[in-house]
Amino acid sequence: MKLIAVPAVDFDLEMTLNSGQVFHWEKAGEGFYGTIGDRTVYIEQRGAVLGVVLEGGDLRRRREEHSNVRKRPRPTTAATASELIRHYFALDHSLDEICASFPRDTVMNKACDFCRGLRIIRQPKWECLATFICSSMKQVAHIRQISRAMRERFGEKKEICRHEVYSFPPADRLAGTSEHELRKCGLGYRAKNLLATAKRVALREANLESWSALPDVELREQLCQLPGVGAKVANCVMLFGYERIKAFPIDVWIERVLREKYFPRKRKVTSASLAEFAANYFGTHGGYAQQYLFHHARMTGKRRRKG
């Protein structure tokens, strides 16, 4: 297995993939395999260098339109792999600058030290939106199960380094199925919302790509009009799908951190007040602050429960 080397200074691959922002990567030996868009990827880390195998074909035999020639995988070069990996894992983000912008308090300092090397992944917009619609009131392990079930049932079967991988199903594929079929993936009541949103995206009533040009307020408004999307999911999609680094999703973990660490003496703090505080206090890189606080709380919380 020949690996393409991609420099990755100030980056922690395993922590980034296990930080609750993306849910389909699988551990394999010293690395991980999964997909980036329609490309299958195996990736491992050795110090400040990533080793990458990148493929573009799938296992299903498809023929080109009006031709007897099978589609061939797109050629992979070192430059192609490096560009894709650097973009996906946001290796161009300056963590020094980002961390320097955080407020200087004990809670944030501990989270920042614990999470150094964790980066905000640039996810495909539809995949990000659909996944977080499925995430409502679910723990990370459950979201991973749902993601895997949806990919295996509706995605394209691919292969990387002898591992089977399934791409995330496009909106038109899910729009053509039924709520009953989606429920088989463990979505429960979320199936209805995902199906309705998939239909709007497939019909271009919701043009996710064109929304990239919208300012934050308008983008959030558009997202919140989609079935299954509230403030938390909208902020997740803005952060992970649209690279709006100021977006600060507030879930159960983050709400607990904010209430216990930043408002310990106040019994009644509304959700709106917490959102306003977070937007003002954590600044232009609030999304990174949120992710660090979230991952630190999850990991240290797990340790305390085991103890």
Side-chain angles (χ1 to χ4, degrees), residues 123-180:
Q123 298 183 38
K125 295 177 178 60
W126 161 246
E127 178 181 326
C128 182
L129 171 62
T131 301
F132 278 99
I133 287 176
C134 299
S135 75
S136 177
M137 303 301 291
K138 287 287 187 180
Q139 297 180 359
V140 170
H142 298 148
I143 304 169
R144 288 182 60 84
Q145 292 171 2
I146 291 172
S147 175
R148 185 183 301 114
M150 289 178 60
R151 287 169 178 271
E152 291 179 354
R153 183 176 289 270
F154 303 112
E156 290 284 346
K157 186 179 181 181
K158 300 169 181 284
E159 186 178 77
I160 188 79
C161 301
R162 299 183 180 180
H163 294 287
E164 287 186 353
V165 185
Y166 292 81
S167 63
F168 193 82
D172 56 357
R173 175 71 178 91
L174 293 185
T177 186
S178 66
E179 181 180 341
H180 176 72

Side-chain angles (χ1 to χ4, degrees), residues 25-26 32-44 51-55 84-85 88-89 158-161 165:
W25 290 87
E26 299 287 348
F32 297 83
Y33 62 90
T35 63
I36 298 178
D38 64 349
R39 308 300 295 266
T40 54
V41 181
Y42 171 81
I43 184 168
E44 61 184 47
V52 179
V53 178
L54 179 64
E55 301 288 351
L84 182 70
I85 295 301
Y88 183 72
F89 289 110
K158 300 169 181 284
E159 186 178 77
I160 188 79
C161 301
V165 185

Side-chain angles (χ1 to χ4, degrees), residues 25-271:
W25 290 87
E26 299 287 348
K27 181 73 172 174
E30 297 182 359
F32 297 83
Y33 62 90
T35 63
I36 298 178
D38 64 349
R39 308 300 295 266
T40 54
V41 181
Y42 171 81
I43 184 168
E44 61 184 47
Q45 184 168 19
R46 300 287 178 86
V49 177
L50 300 175
V52 179
V53 178
L54 179 64
E55 301 288 351
D58 61 54
L59 295 177
R60 296 180 181 179
R61 296 181 175 181
R62 297 179 294 175
R63 298 178 182 274
E64 294 185 83
E65 189 176 7
H66 307 304
S67 172
N68 291 324
V69 179
R70 291 175 188 163
K71 284 186 177 181
R72 296 179 179 177
R74 284 174 284 173
T76 299
T77 65
T80 301
S82 180
E83 181 181 3
L84 182 70
I85 295 301
R86 285 185 57 78
H87 178 80
Y88 183 72
F89 289 110
L91 297 182
D92 56 315
H93 285 176
S94 172
L95 293 191
D96 283 337
E97 179 182 333
I98 289 168
C99 291
S101 73
F102 293 158
R104 296 298 179 186
D105 64 61
T106 302
V107 179
M108 193 69 250
N109 289 343
K110 286 182 178 179
C112 189
D113 291 342
F114 184 87
C115 296
R116 188 68 191 216
L118 194 164
R119 292 173 179 268
I120 300 295
I121 294 173
R122 293 181 174 111
Q123 298 183 38
K125 295 177 178 60
W126 161 246
E127 178 181 326
C128 182
L129 171 62
T131 301
F132 278 99
I133 287 176
C134 299
S135 75
S136 177
M137 303 301 291
K138 287 287 187 180
Q139 297 180 359
V140 170
H142 298 148
I143 304 169
R144 288 182 60 84
Q145 292 171 2
I146 291 172
S147 175
R148 185 183 301 114
M150 289 178 60
R151 287 169 178 271
E152 291 179 354
R153 183 176 289 270
F154 303 112
E156 290 284 346
K157 186 179 181 181
K158 300 169 181 284
E159 186 178 77
I160 188 79
C161 301
R162 299 183 180 180
H163 294 287
E164 287 186 353
V165 185
Y166 292 81
S167 63
F168 193 82
D172 56 357
R173 175 71 178 91
L174 293 185
T177 186
S178 66
E179 181 180 341
H180 176 72
E181 288 299 310
L182 288 173
R183 282 179 174 268
K184 292 180 180 179
C185 298
L187 273 75
Y189 70 88
R190 303 160 195 82
K192 181 178 180 180
N193 290 330
L194 180 60
L195 180 60
T197 292
K199 289 179 177 179
R200 291 189 59 178
V201 173
L203 293 171
R204 302 297 186 269
E205 293 175 2
N207 192 326
L208 301 184
E209 292 302 324
S210 70
W211 290 358
S212 295
L214 297 176
D216 288 356
V217 173
E218 293 182 28
L219 175 58
R220 187 177 289 107
E221 289 175 351
Q222 290 287 354
L223 288 169
C224 285
Q225 290 178 19
L226 298 174
V229 179
K232 181 258 183 177
V233 170
N235 278 317
C236 285
V237 177
M238 289 175 66
L239 178 58
F240 304 127
Y242 286 88
E243 201 179 357
R244 304 301 173 90
I245 299 301
K246 188 176 181 180
F248 194 99
I250 298 179
D251 69 343
V252 173
W253 284 99
I254 290 297
E255 181 169 341
R256 184 181 301 136
V257 169
L258 294 179
R259 289 184 185 278
E260 293 180 358
K261 304 300 183 180
Y262 292 95
F263 297 93
R265 295 179 179 82
K266 292 187 178 181
R267 294 183 178 181
K268 294 183 179 180
V269 182
T270 66
S271 297

